[in-house]
């Protein structure tokens, strides 16, 4: 299905398409194989086809949904702005964060599609983007929604995170918190093109901008570096800040929660990503394996969410985003379906 979607969207450059597919297949072989029988393969194929039809149907038309603007005071006595997109009967609350390029602001189509598919979705603007404190602001935002009479229905909604690029720190910090998981019904997180370690990413960005100063992606790499500089943060001056802002720091705690509370993670990474190298996915997968958890990880041919300019792209920009959106849709649909089934079973009992 991924390759078929590629062919339709890469028609002007088929040779580039096949290079991506070749690289994708090579990367995919590094992941542990999924044991399957002929029956399970057929069942999965039919399920894929139905989901593809369902996904395509819900994309047309993409309406303009107006968000609700929400402002709250965080623990540092700073005002934090949030946006909440609400469908008529939300099935779940999706927390969407894209690091320096905030979720529904940078990828409005993804926010609208989630709304059309029945998912309330939200993002915030924090002064502490990429850092642990920015992720904690999300916990306070969700608590603010729960305590607000207008949005108290959020109490009954399961929560799913979508962490894109530098926004990967948000689900990792939140899902490593036992208290947060006790207060909320969290189903899991979908992560796309996230780095494992912020200090490593900082060093990669530094080398990249030095070696490829004219590359269009250097603009985004410089955003990371300038953001850190504006905060006075460097790996040598503030090592603990970088440790706290690295998803790999929370893998052991999350692996424990995945074993006990059944939260899930679906991780994806583009094979041609030059902003966050795809080696990060293998590093995260291995860390989970060392903690006794088999991470649901997969590669996306070509660019997943970072376009050739290095920016988080919209659905129509490149094929990778279409594949990512489709896979995310299938994942959310499956998790919510399992949750509703479990809820009905508990009611019956």
């Amino acid at each position: 299905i991924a390759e078929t979607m590629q062919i339709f969207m890469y028609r002007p450059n088929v040779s580039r398409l096949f290079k991506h597919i070749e690289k994708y297949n090579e990367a995919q072989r590094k992941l542990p194989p999924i044991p399957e029988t002929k029956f399970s393969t057929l069942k999965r194929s039919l399920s894929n086809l139905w989901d593809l039809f369902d996904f395509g149907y819900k994309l047309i038309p993409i309406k303009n949904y107006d968000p609700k603007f929400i402002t709250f005071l965080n623990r540092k006595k700073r005002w934090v702005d949030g946006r909440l997109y609400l469908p008529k009967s939300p099935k779940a609350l999706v927390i969407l964060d894209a690091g320096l390029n905030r979720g529904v602001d940078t990828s409005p189509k993804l926010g609208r599609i989630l709304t059309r598919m029945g998912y309330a979705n939200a993002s915030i603007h924090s002064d502490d983007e990429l850092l642990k404190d920015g992720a904690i602001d999300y916990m306070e935002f969700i608590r603010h929604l729960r305590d607000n009479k207008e949005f108290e229905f959020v109490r009954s909604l399961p929560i799913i995170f979508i962490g894109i690029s530098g926004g990967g720190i948000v689900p990792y910090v939140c899902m490593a918190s036992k208290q947060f998981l006790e207060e909320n019904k969290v189903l899991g997180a979908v992560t796309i093109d996230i780095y494992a370690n912020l200090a490593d990413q900082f060093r990669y960005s530094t080398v990249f901008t030095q070696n490829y100063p004219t590359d269009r992606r250097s603009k985004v790499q410089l955003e990371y570096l300038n953001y850190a500089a504006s905060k006075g943060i460097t790996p040598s001056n503030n090592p603990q800040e970088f440790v706290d802002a690295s998803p790999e720091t929370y893998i052991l705690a999350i692996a424990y929660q995945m074993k006990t509370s059944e939260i899930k993670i679906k991780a994806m990474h583009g094979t041609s990503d030059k902003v966050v190298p795809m080696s990060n996915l293998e590093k995260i997968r291995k860390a989970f394996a060392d903690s006794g958890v088999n991470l649901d990880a997969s590669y996306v041919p070509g660019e997943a969410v970072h376009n050739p300019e290095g920016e988080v792209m919209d659905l129509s920009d490149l094929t990778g985003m279409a594949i990512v959106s489709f896979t995310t849709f299938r994942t959310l649909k499956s998790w919510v379906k399992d949750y509703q089934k479990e809820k009905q079973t508990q009611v019956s009992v």
Side-chain angles (χ1 to χ4, degrees), residues 40 48 74-75 83 89 105 110 148 152 218 222 225 243 249 272 303 313 334-335:
S40 64
N48 285 348
N74 71 2
R75 68 210 169 283
R83 291 187 179 193
S89 303
D105 301 326
L110 186 54
N148 188 313
E152 61 183 6
S218 286
L222 282 169
L225 300 177
V243 171
T249 301
S272 298
E303 295 89 354
M313 54 192 175
S334 173
W335 289 356

Side-chain angles (χ1 to χ4, degrees), residues 21-135:
I21 291 175
E22 185 180 340
K23 194 171 183 180
Y24 161 72
N25 289 333
E26 181 185 342
Q28 207 68 9
R29 282 193 289 271
K30 296 178 182 178
L31 298 178
I34 301 171
E36 285 194 304
T37 63
K38 287 183 179 179
F39 174 74
S40 64
T41 302
L42 176 62
K43 183 180 177 183
R44 185 165 59 85
S45 299
L46 292 173
S47 174
N48 285 348
L49 289 171
W50 168 250
D51 284 341
L52 185 60
F53 169 78
D54 195 17
F55 176 69
Y57 167 73
K58 287 176 178 171
L59 287 185
I60 307 169
I62 299 174
K63 297 178 181 178
N64 286 319
Y65 292 93
D66 294 323
K68 290 183 177 291
F69 296 92
I70 302 163
T71 303
F72 68 97
L73 200 62
N74 71 2
R75 68 210 169 283
K76 293 182 177 180
K77 305 301 179 185
R78 293 178 184 168
W79 290 103
V80 179
D81 297 323
R83 291 187 179 193
L84 177 65
Y85 284 78
L86 280 175
K88 288 184 178 179
S89 303
K91 296 179 281 191
L93 172 64
V94 175
I95 300 299
L96 178 62
D97 190 275
L100 285 177
N101 302 300
R102 286 301 182 198
V104 289
D105 301 326
T106 307
S107 190
K109 284 187 180 178
L110 186 54
R112 292 183 208 134
I113 289 166
L114 286 168
T115 308
R116 178 169 172 75
M117 290 176 176
Y119 301 105
N121 60 95
S123 66
I124 64 172
H125 292 269
S126 170
D127 288 335
D128 296 307
E129 293 175 339
L130 304 183
L131 302 177
K132 181 181 179 180
D133 282 348

Side-chain angles (χ1 to χ4, degrees), residues 23-24 26-28 30 193-194 269-274 276-283 299-300:
K23 194 171 183 180
Y24 161 72
E26 181 185 342
Q28 207 68 9
K30 296 178 182 178
D193 287 358
I194 72 168
H269 211 107
T271 56
S272 298
D273 195 340
K274 294 293 190 298
V276 181
M278 72 174 188
S279 56
N280 282 270
L281 178 60
E282 180 58 23
K283 190 174 183 181
Y299 292 103
V300 174

Side-chain angles (χ1 to χ4, degrees), residues 219-277:
K219 175 188 172 185
V220 175
Q221 302 290 10
L222 282 169
E223 280 187 23
Y224 279 96
L225 300 177
N226 291 337
Y227 171 76
S230 70
K231 297 280 184 181
I233 298 171
T234 65
S236 55
N237 293 345
N238 309 79
Q240 193 56 46
E241 287 271 14
F242 277 77
V243 171
D244 291 344
S246 299
E248 67 177 8
T249 301
Y250 306 94
I251 287 177
L252 188 61
I254 290 177
Y256 174 77
Q257 298 294 352
M258 289 173 80
K259 294 173 187 175
T260 56
S261 62
E262 297 183 351
I263 57 173
K264 305 177 184 74
I265 292 180
K266 169 66 180 173
M268 292 177 277
H269 211 107
T271 56
S272 298
D273 195 340
K274 294 293 190 298
V275 177
V276 181

Side-chain angles (χ1 to χ4, degrees), residues 70 84-86 90-95 120-122 138-139 141-159 180 183-186 339 343:
I70 302 163
L84 177 65
Y85 284 78
L86 280 175
K91 296 179 281 191
L93 172 64
V94 175
I95 300 299
N121 60 95
Y138 268 100
M139 294 191 205
F141 174 62
I142 293 170
R143 194 171 294 122
H144 174 78
L145 291 178
R146 289 167 56 91
D147 294 342
N148 188 313
K149 285 188 177 181
E150 185 181 355
F151 307 113
E152 61 183 6
F153 63 89
V154 167
R155 292 172 179 267
S156 62
L157 293 178
I159 295 173
F180 180 79
E183 290 177 355
N184 303 278
K185 178 57 183 177
V186 178
Y339 166 73
K343 197 174 178 182

